[in-house]
Amino acid sequence: MAGQLDPELLLENLDPEQQAAAKSLVGPTCILAGAGTGKTRTVTHRIAYGIAKGYYSANRVLALTYTNRAAGELRARLRQLGVGAVTVKTFHAAALSQLEYFWPQFAGVPAPTVLESKARLIAKVAEERQIRLDTGGVRDLASEIEWRKFSMLSLAEYAELAPTRPKVAGLSPGKNVELQTAYEDAKIKAQRVDWEDVLVLTLGMLRAEPRALAHVQQQYRFFTVDEYQDISPLQHALLDVWLGSRSDLCVVGDPNQTIYSFTGASSTYLQNFANTYPDATVIQLTRNYRSTQQIVNFANRLTEDTGFVEPLQSQGEAGLAPRTISFATIQDECSAVAAAIKNKLALGIKASDVAVLYRVNGQSEAMENALAQAGVDYQVRGGERFFNRVEIQAAIRALRAEAISPTDKPLFQAVSEICRSLGWQTQPPSEPGVLREKWESLNSLLAITDELPAEATLAEFAAELDERQRSQHEPVKAAVTLSTIHAAKGLEWEIVHLIGLTEGYLPISYAQTEAEIREERRLLYVAITRARREVTLTWAKRDATSHRDREPSRFFNALLARG
């Protein structure tokens, strides 16, 4: 593969800082990559350049991400560069594959099965103890379990710490620990593990079994870690074991986008990287290619006092100034946002280029109602999975059956014929509803053919879909996106509306300490930098669930100080 790649051609379209990062091939490298600075482009070209120059063997590179979607995107970009043999996995997926491979050898039985739903088991043990937890409470307790395990705390250690932790789901510290203990007991009884256990067990196995550790360290020699500001103590311990005494590690991150402390993530490892590795090459990417100058300058006001990284510099046009608008009620706010979106769509803006972001899931309902009344199609991130849809599963079954027999048909023709047999046609149904949703799903499936080489076969397409299904790398639907800010991390849109920006939502009511408030501020920074061309920030005085007035987010003071 290295002989087929022109190393210098790979660097041709990178800016000077991106080139410097791509050329730093040996030893520890830290890339401080601000929002929209071409982080994924830099990382993929660095890997491809290292392979083209003969520094790396593709099968000995392991690129680690935190989400399946990020892994899917990284994998697709590397394939486009001709280095598809590189292993790209989430921390969890990499650990699970090692656990499943080695566990039978050392334990004599198959590796434990991963729980399908942590929430379901939590709800069950709570019900058995007559402790009432609503959906939000179950989710909060699941997050606290994840924080405990990512922080590498035993139940006994956590029990000592519990009284100092923020109250979880309204439970007393004692009830909190009781439910966590019951959850662990029920999990063991069911002979299941959760995803955090996968990391814990893999770490323990590699530390206890020198043969397994030698095998893994022989397999992977060069490591790249994306979103390094989000690494937890548990993930870092596992990475240390994988590395051993070696230091061929490239980390990429942005401390200004640290928004997962509640799961145990810490930007300390990123900020201390140069101290951990005194010979490290540290490169800052500050040229923002995503957003207009007005949006970048606006977002920079939220990071002026951080000091660790340089402010972003937009490479785009001046653009429109971000707007902040207040409304009397939440209904007024959402109706106005829906009307603004409808006007943009009428002007030819694609629905998939528009997003509405908010702090918590509960804020979506009023927005969904407003968009529905305006006749605007939308999708909620975290809703029904693309690959779980009936028509997509039927299409995949048909593709697999068709792929068994060789065909001379071009890929697009073969796939479109299968989609037509399931109800797809060239023009979409005119009315919204079930038929329109089915058409959009099949159309999105068909659009994936454009991302593969022209000579790709039906069997290769089916394999691509299998990989995307495993990694939850789903196509973008032709609809306005509704999402929490956390779930929008790593994504971007032409136009972004940030709604519900009041005290109690951003910052969230339970953010009390200075560190927690700083994280909420970073969350708003992440939200603003999702926008390419336009961003609007709105808030409403009257809360839908009470008769008291809300106050605008305190962060407006920083944003509007020089507005």
Side-chain angles (χ1 to χ4, degrees):
M1 182 60 69
Q4 300 174 18
L5 295 170
D6 183 339
E8 302 316 311
L9 199 60
L10 286 167
L11 301 182
E12 205 171 58
N13 294 317
L14 302 184
D15 68 32
E17 293 79 24
Q18 291 172 342
Q19 284 191 13
K23 288 179 177 179
S24 178
L25 298 174
V26 178
T29 299
C30 178
I31 304 172
L32 298 170
T37 56
K39 172 194 69 174
T40 303
R41 178 182 180 81
T42 303
V43 168
T44 51
H45 280 71
R46 178 183 181 273
I47 292 171
Y49 183 72
I51 292 169
K53 293 288 285 185
Y55 283 87
Y56 308 153
S57 296
N59 61 353
R60 299 198 69 194
V61 177
L62 176 59
L64 294 158
T65 69
Y66 290 88
T67 67
N68 290 311
R69 187 189 178 283
E73 182 181 353
L74 205 61
R75 196 180 296 113
R77 297 268 199 105
L78 287 167
R79 187 171 56 237
Q80 289 169 4
L81 292 174
V83 288
V86 172
T87 301
V88 184
K89 292 182 176 181
T90 64
F91 271 92
H92 290 99
L96 182 61
S97 64
Q98 292 172 21
L99 196 67
E100 290 179 336
Y101 182 79
F102 292 112
W103 194 267
Q105 298 179 36
F106 298 112
V109 294
T113 304
V114 180
L115 271 176
E116 286 185 12
S117 170
K118 187 184 279 130
R120 197 174 300 142
L121 188 56
I122 290 171
K124 180 175 179 290
V125 297
E127 185 179 352
E128 289 171 352
R129 280 151 187 79
Q130 298 183 326
I131 297 174
R132 297 193 61 172
L133 286 182
D134 59 15
T135 303
V138 170
R139 186 169 60 241
D140 290 346
L141 188 60
S143 295
E144 187 72 356
I145 290 170
E146 290 165 14
W147 180 87
R148 168 173 60 82
K149 293 186 177 184
F150 277 131
S151 301
M152 301 181 75
L153 295 172
S154 68
L155 266 171
E157 290 168 331
Y158 177 81
E160 290 184 16
L161 193 64
T164 67
R165 292 284 295 162
K167 186 169 281 192
V168 180
L171 299 169
S172 67
K175 287 293 182 186
N176 170 7
V177 173
E178 178 188 335
L179 274 184
Q180 290 202 42
T181 304
Y183 164 80
E184 296 297 338
D185 291 343
K187 186 160 51 66
I188 292 169
K189 186 176 179 181
Q191 296 184 312
R192 295 288 186 271
V193 294
D194 58 31
W195 279 109
E196 294 71 50
D197 293 331
V198 170
L199 299 182
V200 172
L201 290 172
T202 303
L203 177 62
M205 178 186 69
L206 294 178
R207 284 175 170 173
E209 300 292 347
R211 284 182 297 156
L213 179 59
H215 183 108
V216 172
Q217 291 182 343
Q218 175 65 26
Q219 182 178 8
Y220 297 120
R221 179 72 174 79
F222 306 96
F223 294 81
T224 297
V225 183
D226 191 18
E227 304 286 9
Y228 192 65
Q229 79 277 352
D230 290 334
I231 199 165
S232 68
L234 176 57
Q235 290 161 327
H236 198 269
L238 187 56
L239 177 63
D240 275 347
V241 167
W242 284 338
L243 273 166
S245 60
R246 302 164 301 179
S247 61
D248 285 314
L249 170 66
C250 173
V251 301
V252 192
D254 179 7
N256 287 331
Q257 296 188 69
T258 304
I259 59 173
Y260 288 104
S261 294
F262 64 91
T263 66
S266 172
S267 63
T268 304
Y269 298 107
L270 176 64
Q271 297 189 23
N272 289 340
F273 190 83
N275 295 328
T276 305
Y277 298 98
D279 59 335
T281 299
V282 180
I283 298 159
Q284 288 201 31
L285 305 183
T286 59
R287 302 178 201 237
N288 178 287
Y289 297 97
R290 175 188 299 155
S291 308
T292 63
Q293 294 172 26
Q294 295 250 32
I295 290 174
V296 166
N297 293 340
F298 194 66
N300 279 342
R301 295 173 194 172
L302 292 169
T303 63
E304 286 176 341
D305 58 352
T306 57
F308 187 69
V309 291
E310 297 295 322
L312 295 176
Q313 301 168 356
S314 172
Q315 305 301 296
E317 59 186 17
L320 299 173
R323 295 184 301 159
T324 58
I325 310 172
S326 64
F327 294 91
T329 69
I330 286 176
Q331 289 75 15
D332 292 341
E333 177 185 18
C334 292
S335 294
V337 170
I341 291 172
K342 189 171 184 177
N343 289 339
K344 288 294 184 182
L345 300 185
L347 293 173
I349 298 293
K350 292 191 295 185
S352 58
D353 282 336
V354 182
V356 181
L357 308 183
Y358 37 82
R359 176 63 175 85
V360 297
N361 285 302
Q363 292 175 276
S364 75
E365 185 179 358
M367 196 66 239
E368 290 182 58
N369 292 336
L371 289 171
Q373 289 175 10
V376 175
D377 286 341
Y378 65 88
Q379 62 174 344
V380 180
R381 273 190 68 78
E384 184 181 11
R385 291 287 185 190
F386 175 80
F387 288 105
N388 289 347
R389 294 187 65 90
V390 173
E391 62 273 13
I392 297 303
Q393 291 182 343
I396 291 175
R397 285 195 297 270
L399 282 165
R400 287 174 180 152
E402 192 84 13
I404 295 173
S405 306
T407 177
D408 294 330
K409 295 176 186 176
L411 179 61
F412 180 86
Q413 180 185 343
V415 177
S416 64
E417 287 178 359
I418 289 171
C419 289
R420 283 180 191 278
S421 72
L422 295 168
W424 179 86
Q425 50 193 337
T426 309
Q427 296 299 320
S430 56
E431 297 297 321
V434 175
L435 290 177
R436 179 64 177 262
E437 290 179 3
K438 179 179 178 181
W439 181 90
E440 287 175 348
S441 294
L442 292 170
N443 199 58
S444 295
L445 183 75
L446 190 56
I448 296 175
T449 60
D450 295 333
E451 301 178 33
L452 269 64
E455 66 279 4
T457 65
L458 205 55
E460 289 171 334
F461 183 66
E464 171 70 11
L465 293 180
D466 285 344
E467 179 56 46
R468 289 188 180 218
Q469 186 170 9
R470 275 195 300 273
S471 64
Q472 297 175 21
H473 181 203
E474 303 180 349
V476 176
K477 184 182 175 184
V480 172
T481 299
L482 302 186
S483 174
T484 64
I485 301 172
H486 281 102
K489 178 80 162 53
L491 303 176
E492 58 187 72
W493 296 269
E494 292 292 310
I495 298 170
V496 171
H497 291 268
L498 308 179
I499 65 170
L501 298 179
T502 62
E503 289 290 308
Y505 279 130
L506 197 71
I508 198 73
S509 57
Y510 51 76
Q512 299 293 326
T513 68
E514 187 178 336
E516 289 167 342
I517 296 297
R518 283 200 302 269
E519 179 135 336
E520 295 291 302
R521 186 172 169 134
R522 291 194 297 268
L523 196 58
L524 182 55
Y525 171 83
V526 167
I528 292 170
T529 55
R530 298 311 92 201
R532 299 189 196 107
R533 288 173 46 197
E534 295 181 31
V535 63
T536 304
L537 299 84
T538 60
W539 67 281
K541 293 180 181 178
R542 185 54 56 88
D543 192 323
T545 58
S546 72
H547 296 291
R548 66 182 179 84
D549 285 347
R550 285 190 176 272
E551 296 295 324
S553 169
R554 71 189 69 178
F555 302 135
F556 280 155
N557 292 333
L559 288 170
L560 301 178
R562 291 180 293 140

